[in-house]
Amino acid sequence: MRWNSGLVCVAALLGLTNGDVYQDPDTGFSFSQSSVPLSTGTAAVTMRVAIPSSAVAGQAYDIVLQLVAPISAGWAGVAWGGSMTNNPLLLSWSNSGTGISSIRRATSHTAPAVSTDATVQVLSKGTKSNSTHWQVTAKCTGCASFTTSGSSTKSLNPAGTNRLAFAYSKTKPSQPASASSAITVHDLFSYWEHDFAAGQNAEFEDLIDRNLEEGQQDIPNGDKVVFILSTSNTILATLFADGDVLIVPSLKNLSPI
């Protein structure tokens, strides 16, 4: 089954708003944003991109993507290479007010599979929902530089525009609490040139730290963050301290005492 067969390219019919800069009061990030209308009414999905101002062309860097969609949206996502195939797809949806994000990849026009080529982490401070919209903010590592097909690679230009693709489905994933859930074919898709330069943030790494969920830190090599506490909440052991957060990156699978 070709996933784009018989579907409407919404950008061609309804237009796409691009070039705005949005200062997010919740996360502190400055985002460059683009919006895709979902109908001739006011409903739209907004894609916001933030990157570090220190990002260098041709080198990997992290991206923060913020998706804002109508509450009726089943899922929405961005293809970082500007097409459905041979590039990382970052999909997001809301599950009972909780934000879920997933990295997918497809090599043909069939349902994209869960991929480990990139990693994603939801940022809780920028993730919320109300009676009309849901919003998911997530950091992607591996979305700015990636393998396309064979040994070919592509890197997104941090100082200019990049062609991205968007997809949207009215139907929620079959298991919405799971980031690896099966998804339905998209109802709409579009392409646009997104301004990455307008989304540069000088304090990108500090903002990432501030927006991580309480009790989490980004630790290399998959090591877990462990807080060793007594019943009186005093620290019993610490191997490394980072500001106000005490981290034990060499220990794994421990629980609070």
Side-chain angles (χ1 to χ4, degrees), residues 108-188:
S108 62
H109 288 274
T110 57
V114 174
S115 173
T116 57
D117 292 346
T119 59
V120 64
Q121 184 174 19
V122 173
L123 303 182
S124 61
K125 287 185 179 180
T127 300
K128 56 188 178 181
S129 64
N130 58 26
S131 61
T132 62
H133 289 80
W134 55 259
Q135 173 180 295
V136 178
T137 306
K139 182 191 76 168
C140 182
T141 300
C143 287
S145 183
F146 47 85
T147 300
T148 53
S149 59
S151 59
S152 299
T153 60
K154 180 174 183 176
S155 297
L156 302 183
N157 179 13
T161 61
N162 295 281
R163 185 177 189 264
L164 305 181
F166 156 85
Y168 156 87
S169 174
K170 294 179 289 187
T171 306
K172 283 187 175 292
S174 57
Q175 297 177 297
S178 171
S180 59
S181 175
I183 59 171
T184 59
V185 62
H186 50 268
D187 294 300
L188 299 171

